[in-house]
Amino acid sequence: MVPVPFRIAKVIREIPGVYTWHLKSLDGKPFVYRPGQFNMVYQFGVGEIPVSISGDCREPDTLVHTIRAVGPVTNAMQQLRAGAVVGIRGPFGRPWPIDEVVGSDLIFVTSTIGLAPLRGLIHEVLHRREDFGKVVVCYGTRGIDDIMYEADLHRWRARFDMHVHLTVHSAPSGYRGRVGGVVAAIRAAQVDWPSAQAFVCRSETLTRQAVDTLAGLGVTKDRVWVTLERNMQCAIGLCGHCQIGPTFVCKDGPVYRYDQIEPLYSVREF
């Protein structure tokens, strides 16, 4: 429950209202975690928020968090510059099940900042590239100014062993990329659908849309993995702020197999 101090080594302005911190621990100890886990990030005197870890777990000397400025705490954090010190509690939660999907084709479906919780998993898959079949990323944004991690996307698209389908909902005249929704990008992917495993990180409504599209192509819901965002506060299952029915997102998630969490999606009060 006690935050460990980390210094902001670098700040990257990704898109309007979204920024990435590269953090270094003050004691120099490596930060060990698995892709899909999250931390509680604390600005002293302001407050604390849960944030997915977006870095490469093979680089434990640098902790990476991408944050959207949407409230008083995240807006205050947006004003911090390199050299500032913040507190970190974690890692918490269940990681992505990478060992369970060895040998399968993998498809990642996400939109805008939803790429952040998947980024660490994609890095790990590429470190273990020989363990998997085809690797496909379907990434959609509202427009060309909302594209996250452009350097990563360029590197991934340049590889011969993975495919990136980038789509935008609207684009200026002369744009030569794909225009449309992520559903079209999913349908354009060429994977072994009956045995593929899918990783989805979008809003709850758009997650259902993606899951339905995948199901129509042959990806059953027990082979779709999602990550949930809730208002975690204690991160150890005591306060109940992240409880959805019988599950605590901070302990049992944030990664869930879709067929296990689907019944709770339809309950309005949750």
Side-chain angles (χ1 to χ4, degrees):
M1 294 296 290
V2 178
V4 175
F6 275 69
R7 189 177 305 280
I8 301 174
K10 180 166 63 172
V11 179
I12 300 173
R13 304 295 171 182
E14 301 285 354
I15 60 176
V18 178
Y19 51 97
T20 295
W21 286 348
H22 288 231
L23 304 169
K24 301 283 188 180
S25 65
L26 296 189
D27 59 12
K29 293 181 180 179
F31 190 87
V32 180
Y33 65 94
R34 300 300 300 156
Q37 292 187 294
F38 71 94
N39 285 326
M40 299 299 297
V41 182
Y42 181 65
Q43 182 175 348
F44 298 101
V46 178
E48 188 178 50
I49 57 166
V51 187
S52 297
I53 306 173
S54 302
D56 186 342
C57 67
R58 304 289 183 105
E59 300 177 1
D61 294 334
T62 301
L63 180 60
V64 179
H65 281 300
T66 296
I67 303 169
R68 185 199 295 271
V70 293
V73 177
T74 50
N75 276 309
M77 289 179 171
Q78 187 175 209
Q79 307 307 314
L80 297 179
R81 298 292 183 264
V85 175
V86 296
I88 296 292
R89 290 197 295 121
F92 298 111
R94 180 167 59 173
W96 295 107
I98 188 167
D99 292 325
E100 297 179 33
V101 301
V102 168
S104 302
D105 286 1
L106 307 182
I107 181 167
F108 301 89
V109 181
T110 186
S111 305
T112 315
I113 197 172
L115 184 55
L118 287 172
R119 184 174 180 245
L121 176 61
I122 295 172
H123 282 314
E124 184 62 15
V125 165
L126 295 180
H127 282 305
R128 300 173 52 178
R129 185 64 189 85
E130 68 281 357
D131 290 342
F132 308 99
K134 291 183 178 178
V135 176
V136 179
V137 176
C138 296
Y139 178 50
T141 69
R142 292 185 298 271
I144 60 175
D145 294 329
D146 295 311
I147 299 172
M148 296 272 297
Y149 305 128
E150 287 197 60
D152 284 339
L153 291 169
H154 284 303
R155 282 194 295 269
W156 297 342
R157 296 182 83 169
R159 295 178 63 112
F160 293 104
D161 58 357
M162 72 181 297
H163 303 275
V164 176
H165 296 281
L166 172 65
T167 182
V168 297
H169 282 284
S170 61
S173 176
Y175 179 71
R176 294 188 293 175
R178 182 190 301 273
V179 178
V182 172
V183 167
I186 295 172
R187 291 179 176 147
Q190 297 181 357
V191 300
D192 181 18
W193 296 111
S195 63
Q197 300 275 347
F199 300 91
V200 181
C201 184
R202 310 179 78 197
S203 67
E204 292 184 9
T205 300
L206 294 179
T207 291
R208 293 193 196 97
Q209 180 192 58
V211 171
D212 290 343
T213 301
L214 290 164
L217 293 167
V219 183
T220 55
K221 294 176 181 179
D222 62 329
R223 289 184 286 113
V224 177
W225 303 85
V226 299
T227 182
L228 300 185
E229 293 184 359
R230 298 290 286 189
N231 182 25
M232 278 81 86
Q233 291 194 13
C234 73
I236 57 175
L238 292 178
C239 70
H241 280 84
C242 68
Q243 185 176 4
I244 313 177
T247 186
F248 290 82
V249 176
C250 65
K251 293 196 309 179
D252 306 319
V255 172
Y256 290 90
R257 207 175 70 195
Y258 187 78
D259 64 318
Q260 297 173 336
I261 201 71
E262 182 182 18
L264 301 179
Y265 265 73
S266 60
V267 180
R268 186 183 181 98
E269 289 78 7
F270 292 155

